[in-house]
Amino acid sequence: MKYAILSAVAAALLAAFPASAAETPWDIDGAHSSVLFSVRHLMISNVRGTFDKVSGTVFYDGESYASVRVDAVIEAGSVNTREPDRDAHLRSGDFFDAAAHPAITFRSRQVNNIAGNRFQLVGDLTIRGTRREVVLDVEASGVITGMQGESRIGARATTRLNRQDFGVRWNRTLDAGGLVVGNEVDITLDLELTQRP
């Protein structure tokens, strides 16, 4: 059921931004892609985790990174920090509220500062129904031929965001005055894309 909901969301996003004839759709290969995050814990260390389910489409004309457009969906309920109780808390209303907001979405709007295979991708990130502009620093690979003869391309994108901006506000104050969970979150997306036949 969740997969059907996420697929419908992705389809709606793609319909809102139809590809031009020059743009080629590349599908995110969820089996070879990852979304990682890191956040401070007790002000002394970092807790790292992943979202295990990501899908979506990148449009790219194969010539200029200025042509890149991205519509991506991350399943909020797929959060994984390798600690079941913590993961259940993260899925709850204190954090991602995955039952009410199953999809985290990113829709790009423009490409800036292209330098070789690096560029910035500006777009709208929506978490818990709250949409904010974010800037991703992207490094793309060249196109290669996969084991089945398909065209593949890779990209790494990074950004830092404040979770408070998206309504993810749960916290506790330590006796010494610090916080249990930091507000700044570092995000890394390692994506592998396959050209759609």
Side-chain angles (χ1 to χ4, degrees), residues 93-116:
D94 284 342
F95 287 92
F96 295 111
D97 197 6
H101 303 284
I104 297 170
T105 63
F106 175 78
R107 183 183 348 178
S108 69
R109 288 191 279 106
Q110 66 187 58
V111 177
N112 293 333
N113 302 323
I114 300 172

Side-chain angles (χ1 to χ4, degrees), residues 25-129:
W26 298 71
D27 295 316
I28 294 174
D29 179 355
H32 298 98
S33 299
S34 60
V35 180
L36 302 95
F37 63 88
S38 175
V39 64
R40 296 291 284 173
H41 178 245
L42 300 177
M43 313 307 291
I44 59 171
S45 65
N46 292 310
V47 168
R48 293 176 171 84
T50 63
F51 290 94
D52 293 337
K53 295 184 179 179
V54 55
S55 60
T57 302
V58 176
F59 292 101
Y60 170 52
D61 67 9
E63 297 181 0
S64 171
Y65 291 122
S67 71
V68 169
R69 284 191 300 111
V70 177
D71 290 301
V73 179
I74 299 165
E75 185 175 326
S78 72
V79 64
N80 181 7
T81 64
R82 297 173 297 148
E83 172 50 57
D85 289 343
R86 179 169 57 209
D87 293 343
H89 192 196
L90 289 172
R91 295 183 189 106
S92 76
D94 284 342
F95 287 92
F96 295 111
D97 197 6
H101 303 284
I104 297 170
T105 63
F106 175 78
R107 183 183 348 178
S108 69
R109 288 191 279 106
Q110 66 187 58
V111 177
N112 293 333
N113 302 323
I114 300 172
N117 66 333
R118 298 173 183 266
F119 56 92
Q120 290 184 322
L121 192 63
V122 182
D124 294 322
L125 178 66
T126 302
I127 302 174
R128 287 183 57 118

Side-chain angles (χ1 to χ4, degrees), residues 4 10 17 20 36-37 45 68 70 75 84 87 95 122 127 136 145 153 164 170 173 175-176 180 182 194:
F17 289 85
S20 71
L36 302 95
F37 63 88
S45 65
V68 169
V70 177
E75 185 175 326
D87 293 343
F95 287 92
V122 182
I127 302 174
L136 301 178
T145 300
I153 192 169
Q164 297 275 344
W170 184 91
T173 303
D175 291 342
V180 172
T194 57

Side-chain angles (χ1 to χ4, degrees), residues 130-183:
T130 299
R131 183 176 64 192
R132 295 284 185 269
E133 180 181 280
V134 298
V135 179
L136 301 178
D137 293 310
V138 182
E139 180 179 1
S141 76
V143 178
I144 62 108
T145 300
M147 297 180 66
Q148 306 300 320
E150 77 283 8
S151 294
R152 288 182 174 267
I153 192 169
R156 167 168 282 202
T158 60
T159 192
R160 173 175 286 182
L161 55 84
N162 189 318
R163 65 189 181 90
Q164 297 275 344
D165 294 340
F166 296 89
V168 184
R169 298 192 173 94
W170 184 91
N171 224 328
R172 290 289 185 269
T173 303
L174 301 171
D175 291 342
L179 298 173
V180 172
V181 183
N183 289 324

